Amino acid sequence: MSVTLSHPEGLLQQADYAPVASATGSRTLLLAGQAAVTPAGEVTSTDLAGQVQSALHNVAVGVAGAGGHISDVARLTIYVVGWTPEMAEQLLDGTARAQASDGYSAPLPPITVIGVQALWTPELLVEIEATAIID
């Protein structure tokens, strides 16, 4: 495993994600934003939790396709259309589903959630970028 997650003393202590990831490896993988779509571009879900899980699945597929493992993910940036704090429960439900189905760590690697006005098609509610460090 090339990524070590930590909760340094003095930072917010919560269980959903680690605020710090340290990584060693020979390659940095930068994934473009992944959405809840099939390879043919069809939207897989209409709710936020389902779209988060599906987008994270696509991240896992991308990392594996580049020769990595889901444990190599060092950072996630999550763009959510019309983000409000009330959406956090749905977002976390989607991440929990991805942890169960695709093997994401618990806690997750460092994440940043950014509210946006729109994504490339109106049906999409979320897009997720990832950085991975691969040995």
Side-chain angles (χ1 to χ4, degrees):
M1 184 164 125
S2 61
V3 177
T4 302
L5 305 177
S6 64
H7 283 87
E9 198 170 315
L11 294 181
L12 176 66
Q13 297 295 307
Q14 45 69 42
D16 298 317
Y17 68 92
V20 175
S22 58
T24 58
S26 57
R27 293 190 301 141
T28 301
L29 175 64
L30 304 170
L31 256 63
Q34 298 298 306
V37 295
T38 66
E42 298 164 342
V43 177
T44 61
S45 180
T46 59
D47 67 299
L48 181 59
Q51 287 200 14
V52 167
Q53 179 186 10
S54 183
L56 284 170
H57 173 74
N58 287 344
V59 167
V61 169
V63 170
H69 183 270
I70 199 62
S71 63
D72 296 325
V73 173
R75 180 166 183 71
L76 297 167
T77 303
I78 304 173
Y79 301 91
V80 182
V81 174
W83 174 258
T84 63
E86 293 77 27
M87 299 168 85
E89 185 176 336
Q90 293 176 61
L91 187 140
L92 293 174
D93 180 37
T95 61
R97 292 181 197 178
Q99 287 168 312
S101 64
D102 288 303
Y104 280 87
S105 64
L108 290 166
I111 63 171
T112 298
V113 177
I114 300 171
V116 297
Q117 180 180 354
L119 295 169
W120 63 276
T121 185
E123 296 83 16
L124 293 178
L125 305 174
V126 67
E127 187 171 314
I128 303 175
E129 294 178 340
T131 302
I133 308 300
I134 301 172
D135 284 325

